[in-house]
C-alpha cells in the first residue's frame, strides 16, 4: 500500500473517527457512511473477531481497503467486564453516561486498590474482502477506575479512567497527549510499522 491510498474507516463512532483520523493523518480516511455501509452486528466473542467482521463488511460494500477498530474497557474485579460489550454495557443504544453510571454502580464500595482497569484496542486492516492475511495490531492502556467522572475531553469511559502517570482522568488529558498514551495510539503505531513492512 502507498501512503496516498484511501482507507474506508469501518466505524460510525464520532470519537473513534476523530482519533483515528488524527493518528493516521498520512492516509486518506473515508468514513464508511459515505458508502452507505451499515453498522454490522458484532457477533464475535473477542475484540479481534469483531474488528475483522467490521473491516470485512466495509471492504465488501466499498470495494476498497478497510480499517476497523474494536476496543473497550476491561475491569479485572468485574471478571473483565464490560469488555467487548463496553459500548452497550447498560443495554443496546446506551449513552456514555448510562454506561458510566452502571459501571460505577457495579464498583460501589470497591477500594481504589482493587479498581485496576485497562483499555484495549484492536485495529484490523483488510486490503480486500477476501484478504487471507489481514494486518492486526493491538494496544493496551493500563489505569484504574475513578469514583466519579472528571474532565470534559475524550469520549466513552474517559471521564472515569484514571491515568496513573498524569494523576488525572483520560478526559482531562489534551488530545495530543491522550493519543500518545492511549490504547488506540499504541495499536496505530504498531499498524503503521506493519504497513511499512508491507510496502
Amino acid at each position: 500500500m502507498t501512503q496516498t491510498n484511501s482507507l474506508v474507516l469501518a466505524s460510525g463512532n464520532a470519537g473513534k473517527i476523530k482519533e483515528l483520523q488524527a493518528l493516521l493523518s498520512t492516509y486518506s480516511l473515508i468514513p464508511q457512511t459515505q458508502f452507505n455501509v451499515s453498522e454490522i452486528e458484532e457477533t464475535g466473542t473477542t475484540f479481534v473477531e469483531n474488528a475483522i467482521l467490521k473491516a470485512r463488511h466495509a471492504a465488501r460494500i466499498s470495494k476498497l481497503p478497510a480499517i476497523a477498530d474494536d476496543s473497550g474497557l476491561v475491569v479485572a474485579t468485574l471478571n473483565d467486564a464490560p469488555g467487548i460489550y463496553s459500548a452497550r454495557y447498560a443495554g443496546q443504544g446506551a449513552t456514555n453516561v448510562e454506561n458510566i453510571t452502571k459501571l460505577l454502580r457495579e464498583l460501589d464500595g470497591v477500594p481504589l486498590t482493587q479498581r485496576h482497569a485497562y483499555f484495549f484496542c484492536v485495529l484490523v486492516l483488510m486490503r480486500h474482502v477476501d484478504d487471507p492475511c489481514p494486518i492486526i495490531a493491538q494496544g493496551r492502556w493500563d489505569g484504574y477506575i475513578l469514583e466519579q467522572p472528571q474532565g470534559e475531553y475524550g469520549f466513552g469511559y474517559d471521564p472515569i479512567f484514571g491515568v496513573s502517570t498524569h494523576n488525572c482522568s483520560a478526559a482531562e488529558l489534551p488530545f495530543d497527549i491522550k493519543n500518545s498514551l492511549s490504547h488506540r495510539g499504541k495499536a496505530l503505531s504498531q499498524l503503521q510499522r506493519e504497513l511499512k513492512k508491507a510496502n
Side-chain angles (χ1 to χ4, degrees):
M1 297 183 70
T2 67
Q3 294 196 344
T4 57
N5 278 8
S6 295
L7 297 175
V8 175
L9 195 51
S11 178
N13 182 309
K16 284 184 182 181
I17 289 171
K18 181 182 178 184
E19 287 189 2
L20 285 168
Q21 285 179 331
L23 292 162
L24 264 180
S25 58
T26 54
Y27 291 84
S28 174
L29 297 184
I30 309 169
Q32 66 177 12
T33 51
Q34 290 194 20
F35 295 93
N36 295 316
V37 178
S38 59
E39 295 286 327
I40 190 170
E41 186 178 357
E42 297 179 20
T43 56
T45 58
T46 65
F47 294 115
V48 173
E49 289 173 333
N50 284 333
I52 288 173
L53 283 170
K54 290 189 278 192
R56 180 173 287 127
H57 179 63
R60 177 182 294 114
I61 294 173
S62 69
K63 313 296 188 211
L64 288 171
I67 183 170
D69 160 300
D70 199 58
S71 53
L73 180 67
V74 179
V75 183
T77 196
L78 295 180
N79 199 29
D80 294 339
I84 62 169
Y85 304 105
S86 293
R88 52 190 187 279
Y89 190 45
Q92 200 67 39
T95 65
N96 291 334
V97 171
E98 289 168 339
N99 286 329
I100 286 173
T101 300
K102 178 178 180 180
L103 186 65
L104 291 179
R105 189 168 60 243
E106 297 285 340
L107 289 173
D108 188 38
V110 177
L112 277 177
T113 54
Q114 296 175 29
R115 296 166 80 105
H116 175 261
Y118 62 89
F119 277 124
F120 194 76
C121 172
V122 172
L123 292 174
V124 169
L125 193 150
M126 300 199 76
R127 286 157 281 228
H128 52 82
V129 67
D130 295 315
D131 189 348
C133 301
I135 296 175
I136 300 174
Q138 56 190 34
R140 173 173 166 157
W141 189 14
D142 285 270
Y144 58 96
I145 302 301
L146 298 166
E147 294 180 336
Q148 59 186 25
Q150 298 174 193
E152 303 296 326
Y153 303 122
F155 66 99
Y157 294 93
D158 286 354
I160 58 167
F161 185 75
V163 183
S164 304
T165 54
H166 289 65
N167 197 31
C168 67
S169 76
E172 293 175 294
L173 292 172
F175 189 63
D176 56 339
I177 294 178
K178 180 192 173 187
N179 283 347
S180 72
L181 299 170
S182 77
H183 52 309
R184 193 163 291 113
K186 292 173 183 175
L188 211 38
S189 292
Q190 188 183 99
L191 179 72
Q192 288 170 322
R193 290 194 296 271
E194 294 300 320
L195 283 171
K196 285 177 183 175
K197 290 180 192 175
N199 282 340

